Amino acid sequence: MHATVTPSTRRIPISLWVSAALFLLYSVLGVAVCVDVRNNAISIFALLTVSPLMFVGMVVSVIDIVRTRKRGDADQAYIRLQWIGLALMVAAMPLWMAIALAISALP
């Protein structure tokens, strides 16, 4: 009896959905902080308090990537989408922190 490898039926990785949702939520918070940061610079801490959520998203992305590699049933496009999800999680906090700090530094 031979084992067969069946291609993944999912077109978009679950980790990308999770990453996109968390990135959007963090972006909403980032916009709110950027609007308020001129009046209250302490609001930058709101971005830091939610940063563990981004870490959870990174863990979900890495677990999905590792599981897909172990199964070996994904094509290159699927794997690329997984890496995009991980990149969203890694870039979210530094991006919004840089924007908020730049806005707070404006005269």
Side-chain angles (χ1 to χ4, degrees), residues 19-56:
S19 298
L22 291 176
F23 184 80
L24 287 174
L25 285 172
Y26 200 77
S27 294
V28 168
L29 178 64
V31 169
V33 166
C34 288
V35 167
D36 188 50
V37 78
R38 300 286 307 239
N39 300 327
N40 186 9
I42 202 83
S43 63
I44 290 178
F45 287 114
L47 292 173
L48 292 175
T49 59
V50 184
S51 63
L53 189 62
M54 298 294 102
F55 181 73
V56 169

